[in-house]
Amino acid sequence: MVSSPHEAMHRIFQEYPGLFSGVSEVLGIDIPPPTSATVLPTDLTENSPVERRVDTLLRIETEREGPFLLAVEAQGKKDARKTTSWPYYVSYLHNRYGALPVLLLVVCQDHATAQWAARPVTIGLTQWPTLILNPLVAGPHNMPVIRDVAEARKDLALATLAAITHADHPDVGAILKTLSAALRDAPETLTDPIVELTAQGLGTRPAAQQWRNLVAVDTSFYKSFMSEEIRDEGRAEGRAEGQAQGQALSLLLILEARGIPLSEEDRQRITTCTDPQRLSQWVRRAVTATSSEDVLAED
C-alpha cells in the first residue's frame, strides 16, 4: 500500500513543478530555471501483462537548454526491483517522447535508503556496460535544514520538501516551526497545499502531531481540509477539557460540603484528571463515601 509520505514526496513536484530548479541547485546540478512545466501521464505500461508506473512525470521547458523529462520516484525503503524498473522507465521515456533527455530524481526520508538509491545501476558486462543509470537523490543527507524563516520564504516549496525529507531529524520541531511561520504571509493558494503535503509527508511519525499543533496555534489563514479538521479537533478537545474541569470542581465542592478532608496529593490528582468518565465515577462515589480513599480508589 502506498503511504502518505510516499505520495507527498513526489506529489509536491506536481503542485510546484518549479521546485526542481531549487532542488537541482541543492544537489549541485546546473539546470536552468524552467520557463514552463507540464504534468504528463505516469502510466508506462506497454501491451504486456506487466504494469509500470512512475510516481510523477513532468515535461520541463527551459530557455537555454530546451525541454527535458523529469521522472520523480518517492522511495521509502530499499527495493531490489527498482534496479530493473528504473532503467526501464528512463529508456522507455527516452523512446516514447522523441529522445528527450530524461532525469530520474529519487526522494528519500532516511539516509540508508538515500545511499542505496544513489548507487549507479549498470546493465551489461563488467568490462563493457551497455547502460549506466545515475539517479539524482534528494534526502536527509543533502537537503537543507531550514531553521530561518526568511530562508524558508525564499522558496516555500523547497522548504516543504526539505521538511518532509527531514521528518526524522532531531530538530524537526524547529524545522516545522520555521515552515509554519514562513506561511503566515503567503497566499492561501500556496499555503493550503503546503499544509496538506507536509502533514501527508510526515505520515504517522511523532512530527506529524507537532505539525498539527503548530497549524492549530493560528489557523485563521489556513482554509485547507486538514486545518478545518484541526479546528474541529480543537473544539472537541476544548469541550472535553471544559467538561473535565467542571466535574473536578463539582467533586471538590461535594467533598467539602460533606466534610471529607483531602490531602494536597488527592486534590492535585482530582484537578489534573482529564478523563470525564473517571471524574463522573468519583463524583458518584463522593455522594456516599466517608473518606477520600473511598472516592479515589482504583478499580
Side-chain angles (χ1 to χ4, degrees), residues 66 79 100 104 130 134 155 168 175 178 181 229 260 265 279 293 296:
D79 185 350
L100 280 181
L104 173 65
T130 303
N134 289 298
D155 192 334
D168 295 318
I175 296 171
T178 298
E229 182 182 312
I260 297 176
E265 182 180 352
L279 285 164
E293 287 80 6
L296 304 178

Side-chain angles (χ1 to χ4, degrees), residues 140-180:
H141 65 298
N142 56 11
M143 292 299 290
V145 176
I146 301 177
R147 300 188 186 90
D148 181 74
V149 176
E151 183 182 354
R153 283 177 177 156
K154 290 178 183 177
D155 192 334
L156 286 170
L158 179 64
T160 303
L161 181 64
I164 291 172
T165 56
H166 288 297
D168 295 318
H169 193 282
D171 204 15
V172 68
I175 296 171
L176 295 176
K177 187 174 182 180
T178 298
L179 179 59
S180 178

Side-chain angles (χ1 to χ4, degrees), residues 203-272:
T204 58
R205 292 171 169 83
Q209 187 58 48
Q210 291 180 272
W211 178 244
R212 297 177 76 85
N213 293 342
L214 283 167
V215 175
V217 169
D218 180 11
T219 58
S220 60
F221 61 98
Y222 291 139
K223 305 298 181 185
S224 64
F225 174 80
M226 191 195 84
S227 57
E228 290 296 336
E229 182 182 312
I230 289 172
R231 279 193 283 274
D232 291 341
E233 289 177 358
R235 296 186 190 106
E237 290 172 2
R239 288 193 294 270
E241 184 178 349
Q243 180 184 359
Q245 290 175 348
Q247 289 173 313
L249 179 59
S250 297
L251 176 57
L252 292 174
L253 291 173
I254 291 172
L255 293 173
E256 182 180 355
R258 299 196 63 236
I260 297 176
L262 284 174
S263 67
E264 189 59 37
E265 182 180 352
D266 289 340
R267 185 177 297 274
Q268 181 75 8
R269 185 178 174 191
I270 292 170
T271 57
T272 58

Side-chain angles (χ1 to χ4, degrees), residues 57-123:
L57 180 61
L58 302 172
R59 176 190 170 109
I60 295 182
E61 303 282 344
T62 65
E63 187 172 349
R64 194 173 71 231
E65 296 184 7
F68 67 92
L69 299 177
L70 175 65
V72 183
E73 284 278 283
Q75 198 63 35
K77 60 182 180 180
K78 300 176 183 179
D79 185 350
R81 293 172 298 178
K82 295 299 184 179
T83 59
T84 57
S85 59
W86 285 345
Y88 172 86
Y89 294 166
V90 171
S91 58
Y92 175 82
L93 291 170
H94 184 261
N95 179 66
R96 178 177 176 179
Y97 288 95
L100 280 181
V102 183
L103 284 178
L104 173 65
L105 173 66
V106 183
V107 185
C108 308
Q109 285 181 297
D110 69 273
H111 290 271
T113 303
Q115 186 177 24
W116 164 83
R119 294 183 303 181
V121 178
T122 303
I123 297 176

